[in-house]
Amino acid sequence: MKKLLIGFVLLFSQLNLTAQTLKNYIQYVNPLIGTQKMGHTFPGATVPFGAIQLSPDTDEQPYLIGGKYNKDTYKYCAGYQYDDATIVGFSHTHFSGTGHSDLGDFLIMPTVGELQLVPGTKDNPKSGFRSAFSHANEIAEPNYYKVKLDDDNILAEMTTSERVGFHQYTFPKNDNSHIILDLMHGIYNYDDKNVWTFVRVENDHTIVGYRQTNGWARTRTVYFAMEFSKPFTSYGFKDFKPSPYKGFWRKFDQTKNFPEMAGEQIRAFFDFKTAEDEKIKVKFALSPVSTQGAMNNLKTETPDWDFEKVKNAGQNFWNKELGKIAVTADSRDDLVNFYTGMYHAFISPTIYMDAGGDYKGLDQNVHNAKNFTNYTTFSLWDTYRALHPFFNIVQPKRNREMIRSMMAHYDQSVHKMLPVWSHYANENWCMIGYHSVSVITDAVVKGNVEGIDAQKALDASVQTARTKYYDGLEFYMKLGYVPEDKNSSSVSKTLEYAYDDWCIAQMAKKLNRTDVYNEFSKRSENWKNVYDSRIGFMRPKMSDGKFGEKFDALKTEGQGFIEGNSWNYSLYVPHNPEKMIEMMGGKQKFAAHLDELFTIHLPDEFFAETEDITREGIIGNYIHGNQPSHHVAYLYNWTDAPYKTQEKVRMILKNQYHPTPDGLGGNDDCGQMSAWFLFSSLGFYPVAPGSDQYALGSPAIKTAILKLENGKTLAIEAQNQTDKNVYVQKVLVNGKPINRNYITHAEIMDGGKLTFLMSDKPKV
Amino acid sequence: MKKLLIGFVLLFSQLNLTAQTLKNYIQYVNPLIGTQKMGHTFPGATVPFGAIQLSPDTDEQPYLIGGKYNKDTYKYCAGYQYDDATIVGFSHTHFSGTGHSDLGDFLIMPTVGELQLVPGTKDNPKSGFRSAFSHANEIAEPNYYKVKLDDDNILAEMTTSERVGFHQYTFPKNDNSHIILDLMHGIYNYDDKNVWTFVRVENDHTIVGYRQTNGWARTRTVYFAMEFSKPFTSYGFKDFKPSPYKGFWRKFDQTKNFPEMAGEQIRAFFDFKTAEDEKIKVKFALSPVSTQGAMNNLKTETPDWDFEKVKNAGQNFWNKELGKIAVTADSRDDLVNFYTGMYHAFISPTIYMDAGGDYKGLDQNVHNAKNFTNYTTFSLWDTYRALHPFFNIVQPKRNREMIRSMMAHYDQSVHKMLPVWSHYANENWCMIGYHSVSVITDAVVKGNVEGIDAQKALDASVQTARTKYYDGLEFYMKLGYVPEDKNSSSVSKTLEYAYDDWCIAQMAKKLNRTDVYNEFSKRSENWKNVYDSRIGFMRPKMSDGKFGEKFDALKTEGQGFIEGNSWNYSLYVPHNPEKMIEMMGGKQKFAAHLDELFTIHLPDEFFAETEDITREGIIGNYIHGNQPSHHVAYLYNWTDAPYKTQEKVRMILKNQYHPTPDGLGGNDDCGQMSAWFLFSSLGFYPVAPGSDQYALGSPAIKTAILKLENGKTLAIEAQNQTDKNVYVQKVLVNGKPINRNYITHAEIMDGGKLTFLMSDKPKV
């Protein structure tokens, strides 16, 4: 088949390094990618790193029903599942690609006819306010989502600014039209997740309030301000869990046209008369600190009622951000994969402060971010691997601000720990390790530290790594490993701590702190303590120093690992592959071992209990759909067969990423899965963040222009690259061949040209 | 019996109007007065109008048990009942004298030996951390409370500054001493009153956190910061209602030495080793806005650990405030009654802002009080009658600031209403009317308005009085009365609205707003619409204009009144007694009617359902123990028998106020019952606040010196006054006899001398 060279008209001038603006990258973004099966992305509207993710929710699955875990909940981490036939409504906050969830704040739903204040069920959608819809009537673009709600023949459109969701509903003629504001709705919305909600109807078109929840974030409050473009004629509330004590509020009928309501489980409705095709618009602003803050955000960001203006501003913003890498590729599909990857990489972390800089800290006090943007949604166990390194290249300023946000988290933490998973003024402690130190080290080692107090960041890293009561650390520090009889998933923890400790040592080295360097260099070797040379796998050790007896290297649960089996996790020594390979029997044996990983069959029963690993994300026994193996395909570079890295990377790119709703092999995990795609497509990957080296792989694009914030431009060209020509014969930096398997950060940031000469034959 | 003239050594120089400072007024204050039976005062420590009321709670009675109202709860409005034999602990917030309740935040209890984390029961106190105590080992003074906790032989002492409770516990020698911090405890603590609590252990001696409740105040949060004088050796938490979802917090043992806890029902403990007689001190600061604010309050007000210094500062503060009226009287008991009355009058409203002026508004946003002190705890249905008029004389600056606080409430109210019952950034809507307008009018008419925007205050009053959905106002405005078939307690509401409307008219007159004057003058006559001339009583009318059929003028419940029967409430036309008396058959008939009120027997069954009326508060059928009749004894002044006012007032003073724990005949109601005592003891009373006149009664003191804020001094002398000489023969203002039954506000505020010539014979 003859391949079309699809790209941009300015291709040649790009290659000549002229930095011209390209107009329409958003045409290659399909927000529906990953919304089917386990991608856990959302299709709705957001701006880059925006605080609002305004998106349809197709169902609401409680996390617990009567104390029992509900398996179906997992599908709804982002609120939307492509296979569903009904939409419950449109809520304002969504995680992108997570494997556990929360949010779904403030669901809005337009309806006509008899008022329904329950969502109804999937099986019987007419029993509630939810509506049927079809993908034929659905458009998802960056910062724009449109769908026809079939039940009531209402066209729903939405766009956003950083802190405001902007809805536009086109109604049929009806004297009995409604817009529902559901404060009960939520994602992972188990029994009593709402702690409290509070609503005030300030006038005939303005509502403010808040929602406080106890979920993945234990103590979380989101404030809102809402404006309608047209006054409502009447309104009301239903309290679905009235307090046993009602006090003197009993003197009012609070259900109808009474401007104040508070309680655990409330839905509100606003009534309108609508003409045929009449548009009612809703601006919905959020704030981390107050309704006052939300109202100010609303007025600052969306002073008027021009939907198109807000949509265009957000789409231009996306074009600007996506345009930081201009690629050409063989097919439109490749471009869609690439720019949708960029899109998903630029959704999280999310802005977490008012337009004026106020944000809520981990101490639940209000702080002001002086001279930086405060971010939340740090899914660090995922994103330290490739997303933050990617930001160090294409979003260095934002990455610095993210580190300042992490330092603010540290300052406000009663544990004096850097974030594990920073979640709306909460630490949700999800997953393991203290990978903030990797993100910080990567920036420090790469010199991206302007505005960061690096010495203080090192102190914070050290203090975090010495928190005895954190997840087996006391034993780790005493014994050199986490003993499985004291703390589960002990091998995963030991391996990740050892890598994190290596990061701290690298930062200390850069900052001339010899004592810290020595302490943590020593700790970084602790991975050796859980390697069982008799079987060639990492393996749980007990506090008496002996390895546990029962052990299955293929099995995922109960073997001393978390979200991975020993086959995959045993390869987790990113900071010292040489030594690991030596201990595993040398280069040749190790390469064969890796081959086996990619080819042996992993039976369903060995991972079925683990929701983050699904058949789609597995190649042989290599689990790409979850993070611990993301560096593994690059490990052939440390053997005599780096060409196998090249073929495996290209195989994974093809196998795990598709331009379709079911196109992601696993959770996108706040952009980590996409960042793997982006790096790998460009031909290199940060195996050990905290090092200034990127392992070379096999570029899948034709050309790429990276427009760097330092004003320089890096052009990447993959000469003769095709689906078959996956092998790299030669790599040139600014025209000079290099004789190594890696490039350095400086080589990227200095700009110039990186050329890969491709072939269908391995270089041996 | 020969009476001793007890008073102050400086009596004669006082009468010569030299303003000398008197040293020890607090010796005449007994905070235990009102703690037995239904006074509902608390015995603990507070400074004048302080934000902290640190006081022992002797039991915790849930308001609802399984949805059913618990009758015993009512006794515990202030947390303490004198007859109880055990103390549960010491909490930081208490209402003084209310007839409904809330608060009791943050109970502290010291114990030794085996840790107990439940309070235990009255019957079996050893089953929990509560302790037996005896009044023999109890001392209650203004700003100082001391008690020996018998169970563990711990001496508890406490004092306060405005925003900090200061505890001092003297322990026995024990290796296993504890201080418990109970966040579950509360007053009127029905099922699930706690919405959320949050605690952080910042270091080995500092704790911060908050408690959020849904009670009488629907959405209320109080923040704290706590410091120990000595580091604890260990600490822990127990969560008595764990959330069904625990998330990744499961990785920690949060019960022991883990510095962060959040949930609905939490108790914390802190462990110490104590030497014999070792004192452990605790500073406990509150804030309406944040833990940061609480910590700042703590550091600002109590920078060191000197218990005596804080105690002395608060007691000096009390002496200064109590010294604003220097009285002499026949007996120490009279002085104790008078100064304990002053003490109770100066507890509420309470300061509601941080040292830096930040407070939470009704809109739940944080505001800053610019150039005024923000107050809460406005029990206005009670306190508009005599307490705020009393403030206009002896606390005019504070009264202006209270009005500014009420205006802030109005500004932040979504209803755009002035407060009904302002309660920690909440409106609890308790009782009826819109008596803020009385408080404001009284200040405006009396010229105490510096810093108040009077025109805006009038607008706020008008808007409040036109709020259709408020408690029958729509009907009242349409029909001229509240119809009983549309809204219960309709007669009480009609009568009180009419008085409030008269207030608005008076304010409008003073401010030259003729339109408002006309509208509300007309409304002020609405009381006539519920007077049934056939029976001579006020009586519920239906929306068809007919009086209801079943009616009993003695009965309290279900007759169209609230907390009063028609006999008492029918006399509620304070703004137009002349017309009322005329309609009721003229002066002679009316005086006989009043005589009957004071003498006929009110059977128990006719008020037993009403918790605010008890036998102790009743004289004949006159109910002094609750507010609606507080002006009634003065109504004889409008007949030909004002001497009966004099004898009745003296009789009530003797009958209803005693210097003993059971000394109050009803709830002190945030100082209203005490303000009646204070005015009446001085010889005059504000029958219609909003008028500048005070009805003359019969002074019960010998002499009084009022040291006014304007620098002037009013001396009051009751010549020849004894328990028998209750009749006023002559009244002199600055030596000139006056020929009327009232004095004016100007006559008081201009200073000088008010002389009563007393006799044992009525002047006829």
Side-chain angles (χ1 to χ4, degrees), chain A residues 100 190 196 200 210 212 214-215 218-219 243 245 248 251 254 260 290-291 365 412 415 429 431, chain B residues 100 190 196 200 210 212 214-215 218-219 243 245 248 251 254 260 290-291 365 412 415 428-429 431:
Chain A
H100 197 92
Y190 60 88
W196 200 245
R200 282 165 54 119
Y210 67 77
Q212 179 181 354
N214 162 31
R218 187 156 72 173
T219 301
S243 157
Y245 175 87
F248 293 87
K251 67 168 73 167
Q254 295 175 71
E260 199 175 2
S290 65
T291 61
N365 287 312
Q412 296 147 8
H415 312 282
W429 300 112
M431 296 305 289
Chain B
H100 197 92
Y190 61 87
W196 200 246
R200 283 165 54 118
Y210 67 77
Q212 180 181 353
N214 162 32
R218 188 155 72 174
T219 301
S243 158
Y245 175 86
F248 293 86
K251 67 169 74 166
Q254 296 175 71
E260 198 176 2
S290 65
T291 60
N365 287 313
Q412 295 147 7
H415 311 282
N428 73 29
W429 301 112
M431 295 304 289

Side-chain angles (χ1 to χ4, degrees), chain A residues 386-544:
Chain A
L387 185 67
H388 287 282
F390 187 66
F391 289 162
N392 268 331
I393 297 171
V394 298
Q395 297 280 6
K397 177 168 186 289
R398 279 207 174 80
N399 204 52
R400 293 193 301 271
E401 299 193 308
M402 289 166 191
I403 290 171
R404 292 185 66 175
S405 306
M406 287 156 61
M407 287 301 294
H409 178 115
Y410 164 79
D411 282 336
Q412 296 147 8
S413 157
V414 72
H415 312 282
K416 287 287 170 254
M417 285 185 71
L418 287 161
V420 173
W421 211 116
S422 162
H423 179 166
Y424 285 70
N426 281 257
E427 171 58 81
N428 72 29
W429 300 112
C430 186
M431 296 305 289
I432 60 172
Y434 31 88
H435 302 301
S436 281
V437 307
S438 166
V439 176
I440 296 172
T441 300
D442 199 51
V444 168
V445 164
K446 290 170 180 170
N448 185 28
V449 289
E450 194 189 321
I452 295 168
D453 181 341
Q455 291 288 351
K456 183 178 172 187
L458 177 61
D459 291 338
S461 300
V462 167
Q463 183 154 352
T464 301
R466 287 185 187 149
T467 307
K468 282 188 183 177
Y469 55 75
Y470 177 68
D471 231 7
L473 264 187
E474 182 173 5
F475 304 107
Y476 174 81
M477 287 189 279
K478 205 185 301 173
L479 303 173
Y481 61 94
V482 177
E484 180 71 13
D485 51 338
K486 298 292 183 186
N487 199 300
S488 63
S489 305
S490 63
V491 188
S492 293
K493 288 170 190 170
T494 302
L495 295 174
E496 296 193 16
Y497 291 157
Y499 160 71
D500 288 338
D501 292 341
W502 173 82
C503 288
I504 294 174
Q506 301 315 297
M507 190 178 358
K509 191 174 166 188
K510 179 97 179 181
L511 299 174
N512 298 313
R513 295 271 291 274
T514 312
D515 53 333
V516 174
Y517 174 76
N518 290 339
E519 173 183 349
F520 284 87
S521 288
K522 184 158 181 289
R523 282 172 58 151
S524 76
E525 296 185 26
N526 282 339
W527 61 272
K528 297 173 186 168
N529 298 332
V530 287
Y531 180 68
D532 184 351
S533 57
R534 294 165 305 173
I535 60 169
F537 285 100
M538 304 290 179
R539 176 171 185 181
K541 196 178 261 185
M542 301 297 147
S543 50
D544 63 3

Side-chain angles (χ1 to χ4, degrees), chain A residues 212-238:
Chain A
Q212 179 181 354
T213 54
N214 162 31
W216 197 12
R218 187 156 72 173
T219 301
R220 175 176 167 273
T221 307
V222 192
Y223 300 84
F224 76 88
M226 178 186 193
E227 272 191 8
F228 292 99
S229 58
K230 169 180 175 162
F232 38 82
T233 55
S234 58
Y235 66 97
F237 296 99
K238 184 161 182 189

